Amino acid sequence: MVNLVSDSTATPELNDISLLALEQPQEWDLSDLYKGFDDPNLAQDLQQLQDRAAQMRQLYRGKVDKLSPVEIHQCLQTLEAIAQTSGYLYSFPSLIFAADMRNTEAKQFLDKVMEALTAIENQLLFFDLELQSMEAEDFQVLQSAPELVGYRHYLDRIAQFRPHKLSEEIEQTRNQDSLTGRQAFIQLRSLHMGAQEYEPVETPDGKVANTEADLGALLYHPDPTIRHKAYLSVRQVLKTHNLLYGFILNTVSQDHRIESQMRGYATTLQKQLLVDEVSEPVFRAIMDGMHQRMALFQRYYKLKAIALGRAIRTCDLYAPWQTNADAAPLEIDYKTGVETLLAALEQFDINYARRAEEFFIKGWVDAKVRPGKRGGAFCSYSHGKHSYLLLSYTNNYNSLFTLAHEMGHGLHFACIESAQSYFNSNPPMVSAEVASTFNELLLLDYLLKSSAHDRQLAKALITQQLEDQLNLLFRQSTISRLELAIHERSAEGSFDRTFVNEKWMELYQELCGDAVEVLPEHQYDWARVGHIFFKPFYCYQYTASNIVSLACYQKYREVGKDFVSGYLELLAAGGSMNQVEALRRYVDVDLENPVTIANALNYVEGLLDRLQATL
């Protein structure tokens, strides 16, 4: 049981005094990991890991099938300790690099650490491989041993991957090749995009936007000319380097194809779904369900076009609903945003909010906008410590909802930290995105209640929620439809940028119908989607988890505080059990039931009806 259940009689008020310093978006403090690149603990930890890995290999290689359940348990604990420290060594330089991708020292140190950790991983590959090679009857003894009950799901997953294992030598070669192969190309794309400079865009109030984050924020500007200029500034860079990004995507996709063939997977999709713990019928049901209801996306933007009195272009998707004449900037500064988020979470559970407050007080958030900072937002979790959140806060409600989203991840991992060992700490992606979206729904309800007399803000919040839902349900699934086309083409041979550009435009035209004008520059927009490079078929999981989040939130609205304990148990489950089973057990949500998908789409349709009634 996770100790996050509300106990208001024992919990003091949120520490307002400690938040007074947050007048501006903060930079994070990574000293919980290491003090700097000259911290002697860095070299010491790395040396100890190398020694422990070598010792374990010497003691147990070739003998795993002879170990008792108690000895297997001891080995797993050792492997977890090694993996945990490896995470610290990787996180420190990677977080510094994400905060400033022009930091050559961080990049060089990250490369050095990745090479060393790959060598350590190769030293230890034998253990899982020998488990996978055990006779089925002997392995089943381990799976049912009471000493290993805490690792049952971990062992079950090893059994699922048994048909796709390679020899230790080949697995080692794959890991080593990744440093200069697929992973190197992924890093090249990130490094290259982080180093780009953009054509500045000046707003009527004299402010100049020249970073990807600031230009992205201008897509919410009331002036259509400003939006168009900001849109073109980013896409011009993508167009200039379209050849490079197309080459990288083809190389990464071909590497996935080769690996799938080597491991005996029918497709890259099959390989990834096994990792995601999602069945192909569920994946297809989600994709088909979204494809059949694209009219919801188009209906919303037709309503928006009527309200704005002009056709909607792809640069106008996030435009405010007010016209230039009556628009007033809906801004929210960082300090107010943090206080608002904490108040919204406190309505759900006081201890949940206290955990969130800790992120700000202890400097685990980097929200400051600056050149060289990685675009987008993320939550990075270090088991045995805590998470770090990165975003670029630009004083608007979109940034606030991004903060709520990433905080959801951080709170999810806080629940896991209290309950799970390392091997059970990594939830499958569908489950991993539930808390983030749930947090946004909590924030939305709080803001709607507190702005009941502010019609402009209330309408802006409803439309923003609709746009977020449409993005998660339809844009993210459209990205996965692009990936289906990419990996199907990859199975036939190489492709070039033209194929990706044309396929992306074709799919986006189908999504938008006659409701949105797809600008020609949008053909290059796929290169901004980091997930298609980092991990194939990642984006459909946003759709799936949003469906689950909506189902969870509807139950919370029905039963109130009685929902909280089960929800926190779901979060705390982490990767310790099958995610479909966990959803059924703790919150009574069935991802395999088509009604769950239909209800999510009906929720969006209800929001559309509510919006249309106000027009």
Side-chain angles (χ1 to χ4, degrees), residues 97-152:
F97 184 57
D100 182 2
M101 301 187 75
R102 302 171 302 178
N103 188 327
T104 56
E105 182 184 20
K107 179 61 170 65
Q108 290 168 359
F109 199 92
L110 178 60
D111 291 343
K112 175 184 175 181
V113 166
M114 288 178 64
E115 183 176 355
L117 294 182
T118 298
I120 290 170
E121 183 181 354
N122 279 346
Q123 288 269 74
L124 301 171
L125 275 173
F126 76 91
F127 191 83
D128 280 4
L129 292 175
E130 289 186 29
L131 283 178
Q132 289 176 334
S133 299
M134 289 177 65
E135 295 293 333
E137 292 182 0
D138 294 335
F139 192 78
Q140 288 172 4
V141 170
L142 293 181
Q143 288 176 287
S144 59
E147 298 89 345
L148 294 170
V149 65
Y151 295 101
R152 186 156 295 163

Side-chain angles (χ1 to χ4, degrees), residues 10-27:
T11 308
E13 293 300 315
L14 294 177
N15 189 353
D16 295 330
I17 296 176
S18 299
L19 299 175
L20 291 177
L22 303 181
E23 296 295 341
Q24 299 295 329
Q26 63 197 117
E27 298 182 56

Side-chain angles (χ1 to χ4, degrees), residues 288-307:
D288 292 345
M290 300 309 109
H291 190 230
Q292 293 167 8
R293 299 291 296 276
M294 284 182 177
L296 292 173
F297 184 94
Q298 296 162 17
R299 178 187 168 192
Y300 172 80
Y301 284 104
K302 286 179 179 178
L303 291 174
K304 190 168 189 176
I306 293 172

